[in-house]
Each structure stands twice: as structure tokens, then as C-alpha cells.
Amino acid sequence: MAKLIHILLLCFSLQLMAQEATTTEATATAELEDQTGLSLLPDLPAKNQIPLFDNRFRIDYEVEEITMVFFRKRGSASVILVKPDGSKVNVINADDQDIQWYDDKTYDLIKIKKPTPGPWQALGQILPESKIMVLTDIELKVDPLPDHLMTGETIKVTATLTNGGKPIVAKDFRDLLRLDVLFISSNNAEYENFGAGVIELTTLADDGRNFDEKPRDGIFTGEFRLDMKPGQWQPKFVVKTPLYTREVVQEPVILHKSPISYDIAQATKAEDLHWLTFKVTDPMLNPNSVALQGKVRFPNNEVQSFTLGESAEVDKKLKIVNYASGTYKVDSTLFAQTVAGRDVVITLPQASFVAEVVEPEPVAPVATDGGDATPAAPVEPVVQEETSFPWVLVILSNIFILGGGGFAIWMVATDRSFKTLFARKNNSMDLDSLAMPGAAEAKMNNAAQKNAKKNDIMELSLPDD
């Protein structure tokens, strides 16, 4: 009986030990899952990623270690990786190739040290949110921005993209490398740029054009102007290529207001001048180093350039001719140094004002010796008499022309000449000088009568009986 009780106690102990072992194994498995599974995802360097297009990706030759997270449909088979040489890697043979592989119901977590460079492919029901993280020597370095920035300031930036510690100067990358300069609002309600979002200031290229100093030297050099609201901004520099993406996010900076304010004194008379005063309002700017250059646009759109050099005067004054009534606009650029000795170039906001030319007032009364002010005699304006149009002469000339023309037409129509028109009248008509119908017949009859009389006189003989 005692022997039977001993056997039962032994079986019960073994059962308890088995349960404890099962519990310990389950706990260890859960802990392993927590250590090798999703617990690693938050620690992944999200800003160093390789693009994944159509389940294909490319690994750089300088990559030391790569971490891949492939999300897939629940319950689907684990993914299969195809290496550049065509060989396949899966969860079964991963240990043989010194690859760490953890497969879950919804994802595969893979770590490869010194992966084969070149194009890779992943086979399986992969979801779009899959990521490929890279630990590599490819690095983007950007010079830090100045501490004190001002609105309108032109900033020069220098960035270097290195591979294995050396600048990337390969010819194939010349048209691919682009550096995007972004300023992201911190959305701090205490500043004016609250809710401004993201502003893309410029895109730089390593091509030796524009502000880039030398092509394909792996160094991006360029300029951009801080033409945005003052406030708190976070600079971000991003380089994207079809092979990789690198970005640098710097500490937030404060963008201050324009360091210059305007004071405008308008002319009160036509012969006076307008005065535009530039006042330094930023204490970080050395007022004695301020120089200004710009243009004045007059109301008639005429443009005149001006320059105000360095001087001991704190305020700079610009004289503007009271040219005409209308709007005057002044665009200017400031060249100066900060109290720390940093050179700055700032595009100032446009200054404008509306002026009206005032006509001179009448002459005041002149005081005589007697002390009484004798009003000056008003000056009569010189009025030029307007010459009237000579209508009478024109009418008479037209009458003369019409009368002469009518007379000429009458002379031609009646076949008359000035000789017959102005000949002196004679009581005995001269038929030889008068051209009229029947004149020749009358002349012949007259000659016959004269001959008959002559014959009567010369006949002296008597008739015969």
C-alpha cells in the first residue's frame, strides 16, 4: 500500500514538472518573439531606407548590414528572397547562409550581414507597407545653419554625400543626385509661422551650374533666401536617388523679423524732397556696417538706382525727388555684418508711399515802410488773343473763283474773244471785222453796187441815132 502511494506521488510530481516545463517553454518562446519580432520594429532607422518597387530592390556594395521587414497577408507563406546570382533564400535554409530570419503569421523579419550587392527580389504576397532598412557607410553631411537668422536673408549651404567616407563622384550619379532643402514649421502657437506647414526652399544639384562651385565633386553648394514668415522652423535636407534616400534633420532655428524699419517724411511743396529713413531694429546687426543698394520706381514707372554706403550714422537717409503725384516704390538690399562678425545679405521688404505734388501758394502781401501791408497787385495772366479764322476772305475768294470760271465758260460757249469783247463801237458796221451769219453776201452786194456806179461815171460817149 505504501509502495502504491509512492508511485502515485511520483507520477503527480512528473506531471507538475512537465506542466512547468511547458509553461517555461511557452514563456521563452513568447520572450523570444518579443525580442526578435515586432519589438525590433520601433528601433529601425526609418530615415535610412531602400525603395521597394514591385517587390524589387537594389543593395549598395558598401552595405555592411541590412534589415528587411516584409509584411504579408495573414496566414500566407513566408517570402522567398532571390539573390543577384539567382539563388534563393528562405526561412528553411537561412541558418546555413548565416542569415537571421524570423517568420510570423503576418510578417518576415530578416537580417543579413554583408549582403551580396546588386538587384534582389522578394517573392510572396507582400503588402505595400514593407520596409528595407540599411546600415551602411553612405552618409549625408550638411553644415549647420547660423544661430541668428533674419527674414529675407540669403543663406549659403554646403552639403557632402559620401560613400565609405569618400565623396560620390561617379559619372552615373551626376544627373541623379538632388538635394532638397525644406523648412518645416514647428507649429508653435507662440510664433507667427504657426500652421505654416512645409516649405520647399530650393533644390541643389552637383552639376557646377547656378551656385554650385564645381561639378561632380560630391559637394552641393548653393544659396536660398528665407522668404517666409518669422518663427520657429526645423531645417531638413534630403537626397533622393533611385538607389537610396538620405536625409539630415537639424535642430529647430528661430527666424527673426526683418532688421530694418522705414520712416517716410513726404514733401509738402513741389520743390521739396521726400526723405526715406532706414532704421536698424535688430540688436544683432552692426549698424555702422550697413550698406544699402536698390532702385526707386517713380509714379511714371521711371526707375532710378541708388547706393548708400557705410557711415558712422546709425540711420541711413535716402532723398527722393518729388517728381510727380502718385505711388513711389523702393526695393533695396542690405549688406552688413552681425555683431559676431558674420556677413549677411538681406532682401528688405518693399517700401512704398503715395505723394501728391502741391502747387505753390500765392505771393504774400509786401510790407511798406509805413508798416502797413500793401497787397501786391495781382498779376494778370498773359492771355494770347486767339486769331479768328478769315471767313470773309475765304468767301470772297470763292466768289471770285466761281465768277471767273463762269465767265470763261460763257466765253467758250458763245465763241467770243477778248478782241471783239472790248472793241470800240462804230456807227457804220465794219463787216470785215465782224463775224456773223450773212456777212459775206452783204460784202459782195456792196462791191457790185460800187462797180456799177464806176461804170456810169466813165461812160462819156453819146448813143448813135
PDB file of all heavy atoms in Angstrom, residues 33-57:
ATOM      1  N   GLU A  33       9.916  35.804 -29.134  1.00  0.00           N
ATOM      2  CA  GLU A  33       9.118  36.505 -30.135  1.00  0.00           C
ATOM      3  C   GLU A  33       9.142  38.008 -29.891  1.00  0.00           C
ATOM      4  O   GLU A  33       9.230  38.804 -30.817  1.00  0.00           O
ATOM      5  CB  GLU A  33       7.686  35.985 -30.105  1.00  0.00           C
ATOM      6  CG  GLU A  33       6.768  36.649 -31.125  1.00  0.00           C
ATOM      7  CD  GLU A  33       5.377  36.070 -31.105  1.00  0.00           C
ATOM      8  OE1 GLU A  33       5.159  35.074 -30.398  1.00  0.00           O
ATOM      9  OE2 GLU A  33       4.517  36.627 -31.801  1.00  0.00           O
ATOM     10  N   ASP A  34       9.095  38.384 -28.591  1.00  0.00           N
ATOM     11  CA  ASP A  34       9.145  39.805 -28.281  1.00  0.00           C
ATOM     12  C   ASP A  34      10.493  40.397 -28.615  1.00  0.00           C
ATOM     13  O   ASP A  34      10.605  41.558 -29.024  1.00  0.00           O
ATOM     14  CB  ASP A  34       8.835  40.016 -26.797  1.00  0.00           C
ATOM     15  CG  ASP A  34       7.373  39.690 -26.486  1.00  0.00           C
ATOM     16  OD1 ASP A  34       6.583  39.713 -27.440  1.00  0.00           O
ATOM     17  OD2 ASP A  34       7.070  39.413 -25.313  1.00  0.00           O
ATOM     18  N   GLN A  35      11.548  39.622 -28.459  1.00  0.00           N
ATOM     19  CA  GLN A  35      12.890  40.158 -28.702  1.00  0.00           C
ATOM     20  C   GLN A  35      13.225  40.194 -30.179  1.00  0.00           C
ATOM     21  O   GLN A  35      13.947  41.077 -30.628  1.00  0.00           O
ATOM     22  CB  GLN A  35      13.916  39.303 -27.957  1.00  0.00           C
ATOM     23  CG  GLN A  35      13.815  39.424 -26.437  1.00  0.00           C
ATOM     24  CD  GLN A  35      14.791  38.507 -25.730  1.00  0.00           C
ATOM     25  OE1 GLN A  35      15.522  37.754 -26.390  1.00  0.00           O
ATOM     26  NE2 GLN A  35      14.787  38.536 -24.409  1.00  0.00           N
ATOM     27  N   THR A  36      12.777  39.195 -30.916  1.00  0.00           N
ATOM     28  CA  THR A  36      13.165  39.102 -32.327  1.00  0.00           C
ATOM     29  C   THR A  36      12.067  39.536 -33.270  1.00  0.00           C
ATOM     30  O   THR A  36      12.275  39.556 -34.474  1.00  0.00           O
ATOM     31  CB  THR A  36      13.554  37.661 -32.663  1.00  0.00           C
ATOM     32  OG1 THR A  36      12.441  36.808 -32.408  1.00  0.00           O
ATOM     33  CG2 THR A  36      14.738  37.223 -31.818  1.00  0.00           C
ATOM     34  N   GLY A  37      10.879  39.823 -32.722  1.00  0.00           N
ATOM     35  CA  GLY A  37       9.770  40.144 -33.587  1.00  0.00           C
ATOM     36  C   GLY A  37       9.479  41.613 -33.665  1.00  0.00           C
ATOM     37  O   GLY A  37      10.340  42.433 -33.975  1.00  0.00           O
ATOM     38  N   LEU A  38       8.238  41.995 -33.371  1.00  0.00           N
ATOM     39  CA  LEU A  38       7.787  43.370 -33.535  1.00  0.00           C
ATOM     40  C   LEU A  38       8.484  44.329 -32.593  1.00  0.00           C
ATOM     41  O   LEU A  38       8.464  45.534 -32.829  1.00  0.00           O
ATOM     42  CB  LEU A  38       6.272  43.433 -33.324  1.00  0.00           C
ATOM     43  CG  LEU A  38       5.429  42.734 -34.394  1.00  0.00           C
ATOM     44  CD1 LEU A  38       3.955  42.805 -34.026  1.00  0.00           C
ATOM     45  CD2 LEU A  38       5.674  43.351 -35.751  1.00  0.00           C
ATOM     46  N   SER A  39       9.080  43.799 -31.504  1.00  0.00           N
ATOM     47  CA  SER A  39       9.766  44.711 -30.598  1.00  0.00           C
ATOM     48  C   SER A  39      10.945  45.392 -31.260  1.00  0.00           C
ATOM     49  O   SER A  39      11.410  46.430 -30.795  1.00  0.00           O
ATOM     50  CB  SER A  39      10.235  43.954 -29.348  1.00  0.00           C
ATOM     51  OG  SER A  39      11.171  42.941 -29.718  1.00  0.00           O
ATOM     52  N   LEU A  40      11.459  44.826 -32.339  1.00  0.00           N
ATOM     53  CA  LEU A  40      12.581  45.438 -33.042  1.00  0.00           C
ATOM     54  C   LEU A  40      12.137  46.529 -34.002  1.00  0.00           C
ATOM     55  O   LEU A  40      12.935  47.360 -34.400  1.00  0.00           O
ATOM     56  CB  LEU A  40      13.353  44.366 -33.834  1.00  0.00           C
ATOM     57  CG  LEU A  40      14.029  43.268 -33.004  1.00  0.00           C
ATOM     58  CD1 LEU A  40      14.712  42.283 -33.927  1.00  0.00           C
ATOM     59  CD2 LEU A  40      15.035  43.882 -32.034  1.00  0.00           C
ATOM     60  N   LEU A  41      10.864  46.536 -34.387  1.00  0.00           N
ATOM     61  CA  LEU A  41      10.401  47.460 -35.421  1.00  0.00           C
ATOM     62  C   LEU A  41      10.541  48.926 -35.014  1.00  0.00           C
ATOM     63  O   LEU A  41      10.947  49.749 -35.826  1.00  0.00           O
ATOM     64  CB  LEU A  41       8.958  47.140 -35.802  1.00  0.00           C
ATOM     65  CG  LEU A  41       8.742  45.744 -36.412  1.00  0.00           C
ATOM     66  CD1 LEU A  41       7.290  45.582 -36.826  1.00  0.00           C
ATOM     67  CD2 LEU A  41       9.670  45.510 -37.583  1.00  0.00           C
ATOM     68  N   PRO A  42      10.202  49.309 -33.762  1.00  0.00           N
ATOM     69  CA  PRO A  42      10.348  50.719 -33.424  1.00  0.00           C
ATOM     70  C   PRO A  42      11.785  51.213 -33.456  1.00  0.00           C
ATOM     71  O   PRO A  42      12.034  52.405 -33.573  1.00  0.00           O
ATOM     72  CB  PRO A  42       9.767  50.804 -32.002  1.00  0.00           C
ATOM     73  CG  PRO A  42       8.890  49.607 -31.870  1.00  0.00           C
ATOM     74  CD  PRO A  42       9.560  48.545 -32.679  1.00  0.00           C
ATOM     75  N   ASP A  43      12.756  50.282 -33.328  1.00  0.00           N
ATOM     76  CA  ASP A  43      14.159  50.695 -33.304  1.00  0.00           C
ATOM     77  C   ASP A  43      14.767  50.800 -34.689  1.00  0.00           C
ATOM     78  O   ASP A  43      15.941  51.136 -34.825  1.00  0.00           O
ATOM     79  CB  ASP A  43      14.980  49.698 -32.472  1.00  0.00           C
ATOM     80  CG  ASP A  43      14.495  49.654 -31.025  1.00  0.00           C
ATOM     81  OD1 ASP A  43      13.993  50.693 -30.560  1.00  0.00           O
ATOM     82  OD2 ASP A  43      14.613  48.590 -30.392  1.00  0.00           O
ATOM     83  N   LEU A  44      14.014  50.495 -35.717  1.00  0.00           N
ATOM     84  CA  LEU A  44      14.574  50.532 -37.068  1.00  0.00           C
ATOM     85  C   LEU A  44      14.838  51.960 -37.494  1.00  0.00           C
ATOM     86  O   LEU A  44      14.010  52.845 -37.261  1.00  0.00           O
ATOM     87  CB  LEU A  44      13.612  49.859 -38.058  1.00  0.00           C
ATOM     88  CG  LEU A  44      13.389  48.356 -37.833  1.00  0.00           C
ATOM     89  CD1 LEU A  44      12.346  47.845 -38.824  1.00  0.00           C
ATOM     90  CD2 LEU A  44      14.686  47.583 -37.984  1.00  0.00           C
ATOM     91  N   PRO A  45      15.983  52.218 -38.128  1.00  0.00           N
ATOM     92  CA  PRO A  45      16.302  53.586 -38.581  1.00  0.00           C
ATOM     93  C   PRO A  45      15.474  53.964 -39.793  1.00  0.00           C
ATOM     94  O   PRO A  45      15.865  53.719 -40.935  1.00  0.00           O
ATOM     95  CB  PRO A  45      17.797  53.503 -38.923  1.00  0.00           C
ATOM     96  CG  PRO A  45      18.022  52.067 -39.267  1.00  0.00           C
ATOM     97  CD  PRO A  45      17.069  51.264 -38.419  1.00  0.00           C
ATOM     98  N   ALA A  46      14.318  54.537 -39.569  1.00  0.00           N
ATOM     99  CA  ALA A  46      13.362  54.775 -40.647  1.00  0.00           C
ATOM    100  C   ALA A  46      13.867  55.761 -41.679  1.00  0.00           C
ATOM    101  O   ALA A  46      13.377  55.801 -42.792  1.00  0.00           O
ATOM    102  CB  ALA A  46      12.045  55.269 -40.063  1.00  0.00           C
ATOM    103  N   LYS A  47      14.835  56.588 -41.338  1.00  0.00           N
ATOM    104  CA  LYS A  47      15.278  57.582 -42.312  1.00  0.00           C
ATOM    105  C   LYS A  47      16.308  57.034 -43.281  1.00  0.00           C
ATOM    106  O   LYS A  47      16.703  57.713 -44.216  1.00  0.00           O
ATOM    107  CB  LYS A  47      15.845  58.801 -41.592  1.00  0.00           C
ATOM    108  CG  LYS A  47      17.121  58.539 -40.821  1.00  0.00           C
ATOM    109  CD  LYS A  47      17.590  59.818 -40.157  1.00  0.00           C
ATOM    110  CE  LYS A  47      18.897  59.613 -39.394  1.00  0.00           C
ATOM    111  NZ  LYS A  47      19.337  60.858 -38.748  1.00  0.00           N
ATOM    112  N   ASN A  48      16.800  55.781 -43.063  1.00  0.00           N
ATOM    113  CA  ASN A  48      17.714  55.138 -43.999  1.00  0.00           C
ATOM    114  C   ASN A  48      16.988  53.953 -44.618  1.00  0.00           C
ATOM    115  O   ASN A  48      16.985  52.856 -44.056  1.00  0.00           O
ATOM    116  CB  ASN A  48      18.986  54.675 -43.287  1.00  0.00           C
ATOM    117  CG  ASN A  48      19.832  55.832 -42.824  1.00  0.00           C
ATOM    118  OD1 ASN A  48      19.840  56.867 -43.465  1.00  0.00           O
ATOM    119  ND2 ASN A  48      20.526  55.661 -41.716  1.00  0.00           N
ATOM    120  N   GLN A  49      16.369  54.170 -45.758  1.00  0.00           N
ATOM    121  CA  GLN A  49      15.557  53.147 -46.370  1.00  0.00           C
ATOM    122  C   GLN A  49      15.958  52.948 -47.821  1.00  0.00           C
ATOM    123  O   GLN A  49      16.454  53.859 -48.482  1.00  0.00           O
ATOM    124  CB  GLN A  49      14.070  53.512 -46.310  1.00  0.00           C
ATOM    125  CG  GLN A  49      13.531  53.681 -44.900  1.00  0.00           C
ATOM    126  CD  GLN A  49      12.048  53.967 -44.910  1.00  0.00           C
ATOM    127  OE1 GLN A  49      11.368  53.726 -45.901  1.00  0.00           O
ATOM    128  NE2 GLN A  49      11.535  54.463 -43.806  1.00  0.00           N
ATOM    129  N   ILE A  50      15.714  51.735 -48.311  1.00  0.00           N
ATOM    130  CA  ILE A  50      15.888  51.417 -49.727  1.00  0.00           C
ATOM    131  C   ILE A  50      14.501  51.324 -50.350  1.00  0.00           C
ATOM    132  O   ILE A  50      13.634  50.627 -49.816  1.00  0.00           O
ATOM    133  CB  ILE A  50      16.656  50.091 -49.910  1.00  0.00           C
ATOM    134  CG1 ILE A  50      18.125  50.274 -49.518  1.00  0.00           C
ATOM    135  CG2 ILE A  50      16.571  49.608 -51.351  1.00  0.00           C
ATOM    136  CD1 ILE A  50      18.938  49.011 -49.668  1.00  0.00           C
ATOM    137  N   PRO A  51      14.261  52.000 -51.457  1.00  0.00           N
ATOM    138  CA  PRO A  51      12.938  51.921 -52.079  1.00  0.00           C
ATOM    139  C   PRO A  51      12.632  50.500 -52.531  1.00  0.00           C
ATOM    140  O   PRO A  51      13.495  49.773 -53.001  1.00  0.00           O
ATOM    141  CB  PRO A  51      13.046  52.875 -53.271  1.00  0.00           C
ATOM    142  CG  PRO A  51      14.198  53.768 -52.937  1.00  0.00           C
ATOM    143  CD  PRO A  51      15.145  52.951 -52.139  1.00  0.00           C
ATOM    144  N   LEU A  52      11.377  50.091 -52.394  1.00  0.00           N
ATOM    145  CA  LEU A  52      10.907  48.767 -52.786  1.00  0.00           C
ATOM    146  C   LEU A  52       9.851  48.953 -53.859  1.00  0.00           C
ATOM    147  O   LEU A  52       8.746  49.404 -53.583  1.00  0.00           O
ATOM    148  CB  LEU A  52      10.329  48.018 -51.580  1.00  0.00           C
ATOM    149  CG  LEU A  52       9.799  46.596 -51.821  1.00  0.00           C
ATOM    150  CD1 LEU A  52      10.922  45.675 -52.263  1.00  0.00           C
ATOM    151  CD2 LEU A  52       9.128  46.070 -50.564  1.00  0.00           C
ATOM    152  N   PHE A  53      10.205  48.624 -55.101  1.00  0.00           N
ATOM    153  CA  PHE A  53       9.297  48.800 -56.230  1.00  0.00           C
ATOM    154  C   PHE A  53       9.004  47.420 -56.836  1.00  0.00           C
ATOM    155  O   PHE A  53       9.934  46.707 -57.269  1.00  0.00           O
ATOM    156  CB  PHE A  53       9.907  49.706 -57.299  1.00  0.00           C
ATOM    157  CG  PHE A  53      10.230  51.080 -56.806  1.00  0.00           C
ATOM    158  CD1 PHE A  53      11.546  51.471 -56.634  1.00  0.00           C
ATOM    159  CD2 PHE A  53       9.230  51.977 -56.480  1.00  0.00           C
ATOM    160  CE1 PHE A  53      11.858  52.739 -56.169  1.00  0.00           C
ATOM    161  CE2 PHE A  53       9.526  53.239 -56.017  1.00  0.00           C
ATOM    162  CZ  PHE A  53      10.842  53.622 -55.868  1.00  0.00           C
ATOM    163  N   ASP A  54       7.713  47.075 -56.868  1.00  0.00           N
ATOM    164  CA  ASP A  54       7.293  45.793 -57.445  1.00  0.00           C
ATOM    165  C   ASP A  54       8.077  44.632 -56.835  1.00  0.00           C
ATOM    166  O   ASP A  54       8.515  43.700 -57.551  1.00  0.00           O
ATOM    167  CB  ASP A  54       7.461  45.803 -58.966  1.00  0.00           C
ATOM    168  CG  ASP A  54       6.552  46.814 -59.637  1.00  0.00           C
ATOM    169  OD1 ASP A  54       5.467  47.082 -59.077  1.00  0.00           O
ATOM    170  OD2 ASP A  54       6.928  47.333 -60.701  1.00  0.00           O
ATOM    171  N   ASN A  55       8.278  44.704 -55.506  1.00  0.00           N
ATOM    172  CA  ASN A  55       8.984  43.656 -54.761  1.00  0.00           C
ATOM    173  C   ASN A  55      10.435  43.492 -55.210  1.00  0.00           C
ATOM    174  O   ASN A  55      11.046  42.437 -54.992  1.00  0.00           O
ATOM    175  CB  ASN A  55       8.259  42.308 -54.876  1.00  0.00           C
ATOM    176  CG  ASN A  55       6.863  42.363 -54.285  1.00  0.00           C
ATOM    177  OD1 ASN A  55       6.525  43.283 -53.545  1.00  0.00           O
ATOM    178  ND2 ASN A  55       6.038  41.379 -54.616  1.00  0.00           N
ATOM    179  N   ARG A  56      10.986  44.528 -55.833  1.00  0.00           N
ATOM    180  CA  ARG A  56      12.387  44.505 -56.249  1.00  0.00           C
ATOM    181  C   ARG A  56      13.133  45.639 -55.550  1.00  0.00           C
ATOM    182  O   ARG A  56      12.578  46.706 -55.325  1.00  0.00           O
ATOM    183  CB  ARG A  56      12.522  44.652 -57.769  1.00  0.00           C
ATOM    184  CG  ARG A  56      11.862  43.524 -58.559  1.00  0.00           C
ATOM    185  CD  ARG A  56      11.937  43.790 -60.057  1.00  0.00           C
ATOM    186  NE  ARG A  56      11.239  42.759 -60.826  1.00  0.00           N
ATOM    187  CZ  ARG A  56      11.834  41.653 -61.281  1.00  0.00           C
ATOM    188  NH1 ARG A  56      13.130  41.443 -61.054  1.00  0.00           N
ATOM    189  NH2 ARG A  56      11.147  40.759 -61.960  1.00  0.00           N
ATOM    190  N   PHE A  57      14.381  45.411 -55.244  1.00  0.00           N
ATOM    191  CA  PHE A  57      15.212  46.429 -54.601  1.00  0.00           C
ATOM    192  C   PHE A  57      16.668  46.160 -54.944  1.00  0.00           C
ATOM    193  O   PHE A  57      17.027  45.071 -55.415  1.00  0.00           O
ATOM    194  CB  PHE A  57      14.989  46.427 -53.082  1.00  0.00           C
ATOM    195  CG  PHE A  57      15.272  45.110 -52.409  1.00  0.00           C
ATOM    196  CD1 PHE A  57      16.513  44.857 -51.836  1.00  0.00           C
ATOM    197  CD2 PHE A  57      14.296  44.122 -52.338  1.00  0.00           C
ATOM    198  CE1 PHE A  57      16.780  43.643 -51.215  1.00  0.00           C
ATOM    199  CE2 PHE A  57      14.557  42.912 -51.718  1.00  0.00           C
ATOM    200  CZ  PHE A  57      15.799  42.664 -51.160  1.00  0.00           C
TER     201      PHE A  57
END
